[in-house]
Amino acid sequence: MNDAVREASAIQGDEEVARLLPVIFDSIADGVTVLDRAGTIRYANAAAARLMGYERASELVGRSSERVTSRFDLLDDDGRPLDLSVLPTRRAYAGEPNPEATVRFRTEGSEHDQWSLVRARLLEGPDADHDLVITSFQDITAIKQAEHRLSFLLHASALLGETADYHDSLSRIAWLVVPSVADWCAFDVIVDDETVERVAMAQADPELLRAAQEIERRWPADASQPSAVQEVKRLRHRVHLRDMTDEMLAEGARDTEHLEALRGMRLRELLTIPLIGRGQVFGAISVGHSTPRPPLSPEDVAMLEDLGRRAGAAVDAALLLAESKETLRLQEEFMAVTSHDMRTPLAAVRGYAQLALRHLAGEQQDLASVERWLGDIEESSTRLTNLVSEFMDVTLLRAGEEVPLQLQPTNLVAMAGERVREYQAAEDEHQFSLRSDQVSIVGNWDPARIGRVLDNLLGNAVKFSPDGGVIEVVMAANQDDATLAVIDHGIGIAPQDLSRIFLPMYRGANARTVAGTGLGLAGSRRLVELMGGGITVKSRLGKGSTFTVVLPLAGPAPEPAGE
Amino acid sequence: MHASRGGAGITSEDVTHQVLVVEDDPALREIYAGALRGYGHDVRTAGDGAEALERLKNGWEPCVVFLDLRMPGMDGWELSRRLQADDRWRDVPVVVVAAHFRIDREAAEIGASSWLQKPFDLARLDEETKALCANE
């Protein structure tokens, strides 16, 4: 007599419990069946019936177990058809003690996998014909799904960690989502306020993938258009459309042709989840179903949200890395140009000093030459001092700090005239013109900083009109303000760049090849603002630009008392 | 032929070499030319590449060119390409005279014989001239 029978006999003394045994068996979560050697089901509890898709256990009793299991596709863990010899019932009859196996199965026609942990035990009868096998089935579908989600996330994390280029990793993750989680998956990254880049897309059906790529080509993501990506950025939360309707498609469609193409994608369910890193939305992952499959479960949604956070952190890190590399590059360029600019007057100082010393050591001592060289040394030292001061200003302004202003009565007309003469002397290709409605415009400003702003605006006018031409400086004043405009007829600034040219270190798309570091427009604007004024720009691409500085004659407003 | 060096002042040398200085900064142009003339050399100057090509006409042949790279108009890179492309000037040694912090790399890129980073001791102009013109 084997152990199970001995245990069963332990309750034989208790008639009451024995009578309740069927009820007890029906109340447990695991399925239990008893088969004879002929494969006929002799007993099944309620859970077994439920697991096998029957309403009542009595429907199972008397049936052939083979007929019952033929209603399922039995698979191994990798999803291949199961070798039936591994089924514990068969192994128990073959004499193996307490065999068990994890069986993955799918009801015919369903895409939905379930898992059971199957255990079997042989109950020996008086002879082999009367042997019975008791089989129990534990439904471990939820555990298996959790395992798969965990392994999915681990795999995705590994992909994200493999490379700093999120284009590649997100593309591979999209193909991890498809087809195991959804039929279609896309990653969008918000590049800036105006640009959304679709960095990856996967679709299980190759024909639908081609169609989706065509849609992307013809109607590219556009930040100005309402989209699920914009919506999750605004909400900082997922958008889940469980039943896509034609109205929803129409809302996102740009025109009838687009709508028709979107309908062709056959999306029934659409989930868009923000990619979040450090509280910021960097883009979105969207998944959808285009075939009949069970709707995304709350667990799937939670998993995709976790993926959204992991991908968000990866995109954040990649952008930070790119940004810091760019900052380093600009720093290096800044240092290179600054040291270059400083070495030239320094070379003149050293050169004139050496010439003067050698001359004084020689036979003929022409003091007039020595005096001239000393004057040149002073002039070069002044240039050098100005460069160092400007370098200090740039450093302070880039760090977001104020520069110490030295306010004094400053004649804008005289300063602009002097600068324009200097520029004209060094320049043949441009003609400078200077106009003012007044002989002198005197305000309470910092002359060194005014000079720097003038240098920046005139320098820009020269740089960005490479084919030469007229550069006008026009000044005017009323009771309160002075106005100075620098007008060039050069390459101009594209409308989309206009709002950004005052950003630190920004350069328009058509100006990337023009070298420069210096104060920049950002620094100029800041200096003018510190003196109580402002700079505005008007420009047309290919026609030229006008930069207008307005400065209050009284200088910066005094700081409120008590500060 | 021995040349005296350094701080003894500008003296005439036994050997006069023909030297071309190409530099856009007028002060530095004057300084370099003045120093080289002080060492007794025959110096011509140019403010950019195009002017340098002018100086090279009429059979005047320098045995060394001191060349600034960043110049408005025809820059030093373009001038060195033109010199390389011309049989008459291909073998004239070029000394890059510039302020760039990667001047060594820039000099190597244009195949220069040597470089001087601004600012430098003016005696270096004479040393380079003598070294590079010695084989004439």
Side-chain angles (χ1 to χ4, degrees):
Chain A
M1 207 161 54
N2 75 17
D3 295 347
V5 178
R6 201 174 299 119
E7 278 164 31
S9 61
I11 57 166
Q12 270 176 9
D14 191 331
E15 288 297 321
E16 181 66 9
V17 174
R19 196 174 58 78
L20 286 172
L21 265 183
V23 184
I24 293 169
F25 271 87
D26 279 348
S27 70
I28 61 176
D30 291 358
V32 178
T33 59
V34 177
L35 299 187
D36 60 24
R37 260 204 200 271
T40 307
I41 298 172
R42 302 281 291 274
Y43 169 79
N45 72 348
R50 204 167 47 242
L51 280 169
M52 293 180 186
Y54 289 85
E55 278 190 24
R56 285 166 212 285
S58 57
E59 290 174 47
L60 276 167
V61 176
R63 282 180 192 264
S64 135
S65 85
E66 241 172 75
R67 292 274 298 278
V68 171
T69 47
S70 70
R71 300 174 57 199
F72 304 101
D73 291 329
L74 296 179
L75 308 166
D76 65 12
D77 227 16
D78 296 326
R80 285 188 291 260
L82 189 75
D83 172 6
L84 294 179
S85 66
V86 307
L87 285 174
T89 312
R90 296 185 182 212
R91 283 154 61 197
Y93 270 125
E96 189 181 327
N98 306 327
E100 62 174 65
T102 298
V103 177
R104 176 170 166 181
F105 61 100
R106 205 178 271 178
T107 322
E108 270 177 351
S110 153
E111 299 278 307
H112 192 44
D113 284 346
Q114 290 179 278
W115 282 265
S116 261
L117 178 59
V118 183
R119 297 189 181 93
R121 253 181 193 192
L122 183 68
L123 302 172
E124 278 175 25
D127 55 63
D129 284 345
H130 290 87
D131 285 348
L132 294 173
V133 164
I134 176 165
T135 309
S136 69
F137 315 85
Q138 185 185 353
D139 183 6
I140 55 166
T141 303
I143 296 170
K144 275 290 175 183
Q145 284 172 340
E147 245 175 50
H148 280 198
R149 280 190 286 270
L150 184 64
S151 113
F152 171 88
L153 285 174
L154 289 175
H155 197 162
S157 287
L159 287 176
L160 287 170
E162 243 169 52
T163 162
D165 178 8
Y166 59 79
H167 291 80
D168 184 41
S169 49
L170 293 185
S171 168
R172 289 163 71 185
I173 290 172
W175 285 105
L176 206 58
V177 173
V178 172
S180 73
V181 184
D183 297 323
W184 170 84
C185 173
F187 280 96
D188 295 291
V189 168
I190 299 165
V191 178
D192 55 45
D193 292 344
E194 281 152 30
T195 324
V196 173
E197 186 193 356
R198 171 141 300 172
V199 294
M201 184 165 63
Q203 157 65 261
D205 180 331
E207 216 161 280
L208 286 180
L209 176 63
R210 273 193 296 278
Q213 284 162 342
E214 179 66 9
I215 290 176
E216 196 185 307
R217 195 184 61 75
R218 290 192 56 192
W219 296 277
D222 180 341
S224 66
Q225 301 284 339
S227 69
V229 180
Q230 299 296 332
E231 190 67 359
V232 300
K233 189 192 176 196
R234 195 176 60 77
L235 296 172
R236 311 167 61 75
H237 193 267
R238 67 171 183 267
V239 173
H240 194 172
L241 306 174
R242 286 184 177 79
D243 287 298
M244 290 286 284
T245 61
D246 209 46
E247 289 76 50
M248 291 174 183
L249 286 181
E251 214 173 294
R254 313 240 176 105
D255 50 51
T256 50
E257 220 182 328
H258 190 202
L259 177 61
E260 206 44 53
L262 289 176
R263 280 182 186 139
M265 299 316 298
R266 300 202 295 266
L267 283 181
R268 311 153 161 247
E269 184 179 4
L270 180 66
L271 171 67
T272 303
I273 283 171
L275 307 182
I276 294 186
R278 288 184 307 152
Q280 201 184 332
V281 177
F282 289 98
I285 171 177
S286 302
V287 301
H289 288 343
S290 51
T291 58
R293 42 154 115 200
L296 290 163
S297 67
E299 290 80 10
D300 287 333
V301 174
M303 174 188 81
L304 290 167
E305 288 195 313
D306 192 329
L307 176 63
R309 283 187 291 272
R310 288 171 203 230
V315 173
D316 182 21
L319 294 179
L320 272 178
L321 181 68
E323 202 178 295
S324 63
K325 274 187 184 162
E326 178 63 5
T327 306
L328 274 179
R329 195 189 63 72
L330 287 169
Q331 287 282 20
E332 189 177 282
E333 187 186 314
F334 177 64
M335 291 308 294
V337 175
T338 306
S339 66
H340 175 271
D341 289 353
M342 287 181 182
R343 278 175 177 278
T344 303
L346 200 56
V349 169
R350 187 169 180 187
Y352 282 126
Q354 281 194 347
L355 280 188
L357 284 171
R358 283 162 197 230
H359 195 81
L360 290 172
E363 287 129 30
Q364 321 145 314
Q365 296 192 344
D366 173 10
L367 287 181
S369 290
V370 173
E371 187 184 357
R372 190 169 64 77
W373 289 334
L374 286 174
D376 291 334
I377 287 174
E378 197 197 8
E379 197 188 300
S380 290
S381 315
T382 308
R383 260 169 74 197
L384 192 55
T385 309
N386 286 338
L387 276 172
V388 174
S389 305
E390 179 169 354
F391 173 69
M392 296 292 294
D393 274 8
V394 172
T395 307
L396 284 173
L397 291 172
R398 281 191 184 172
E401 289 176 43
E402 289 192 6
V403 297
L405 290 181
Q406 290 188 298
L407 300 170
Q408 63 189 72
T410 305
N411 185 346
L412 190 64
V413 179
M415 285 203 69
E418 202 177 297
R419 279 298 192 289
V420 161
R421 274 192 297 283
E422 276 174 28
Y423 270 84
Q424 189 65 78
E427 274 286 331
D428 296 332
E429 284 165 21
H430 297 87
Q431 291 79 50
F432 290 82
S433 88
L434 189 81
R435 276 180 284 143
S436 172
D437 67 353
Q438 297 180 35
V439 182
S440 84
I441 301 173
V442 178
N444 186 32
W445 306 310
D446 180 328
R449 270 60 186 241
I450 293 278
R452 243 159 255 166
V453 172
L454 285 170
D455 275 341
N456 177 235
L457 295 182
L458 288 168
N460 280 348
V462 170
K463 260 193 271 182
F464 298 120
S465 48
D467 298 329
V470 177
I471 293 172
E472 301 163 69
V473 178
V474 182
M475 284 167 287
N478 59 26
Q479 279 183 317
D480 302 318
D481 299 308
T483 307
L484 175 141
V486 177
I487 304 158
D488 73 57
H489 304 279
I491 58 176
I493 303 158
Q496 68 267 25
D497 287 336
L498 267 183
S499 60
R500 295 187 255 187
I501 54 169
F502 289 103
L503 295 177
M505 304 200 231
Y506 184 81
R507 209 171 286 166
N510 60 344
R512 298 248 154 85
T513 55
V514 181
T517 49
L519 190 63
L521 277 170
S524 287
R525 169 177 268 189
R526 199 66 201 109
L527 286 181
V528 169
E529 283 170 356
L530 287 172
M531 288 186 274
I535 300 185
T536 53
V537 59
K538 278 185 188 163
S539 186
R540 281 181 63 199
L541 207 54
K543 299 279 178 199
S545 310
T546 298
F547 285 87
T548 306
V549 179
V550 178
L551 282 163
L553 295 173
E559 290 193 12
E563 263 188 40
Chain B
M1 277 177 282
H2 179 262
S4 70
R5 293 204 167 170
I10 299 166
T11 52
S12 292
E13 295 294 338
D14 327 345
V15 183
T16 295
H17 295 296
Q18 295 186 342
V19 182
L20 177 61
V21 173
V22 190
E23 164 68 60
D24 66 308
D25 188 282
L28 294 181
R29 208 158 57 226
E30 183 193 358
I31 290 165
Y32 299 153
L36 283 161
R37 286 192 186 110
Y39 287 112
H41 300 299
D42 173 12
V43 185
R44 292 191 184 183
T45 62
D48 69 5
E51 231 181 295
L53 291 174
E54 281 293 310
R55 302 285 177 277
L56 289 172
K57 282 180 180 169
N58 308 324
W60 185 81
E61 281 186 38
C63 66
V64 61
V65 177
F66 290 98
L67 177 65
D68 188 9
L69 292 176
R70 286 168 186 76
M71 296 183 290
M74 189 196 293
D75 62 23
W77 286 281
E78 179 57 28
L79 177 62
S80 77
R81 268 192 295 277
R82 303 266 183 116
L83 296 180
Q84 284 293 316
D86 193 318
D87 286 342
R88 285 171 300 170
W89 314 119
R90 187 170 300 139
D91 297 327
V92 176
V94 168
V95 178
V96 170
V97 178
H100 198 263
F101 74 131
R102 293 268 161 76
I103 185 172
D104 52 340
R105 207 183 280 176
E106 293 189 338
E109 275 165 16
I110 66 160
S113 307
S114 180
W115 50 265
L116 293 171
Q117 189 180 30
K118 299 170 185 173
F120 53 87
D121 187 338
L122 296 181
R124 300 278 297 119
L125 290 169
D126 186 48
E127 289 165 20
E128 292 291 349
T129 302
K130 291 213 174 75
L132 293 168
C133 297
N135 301 327
E136 262 209 333

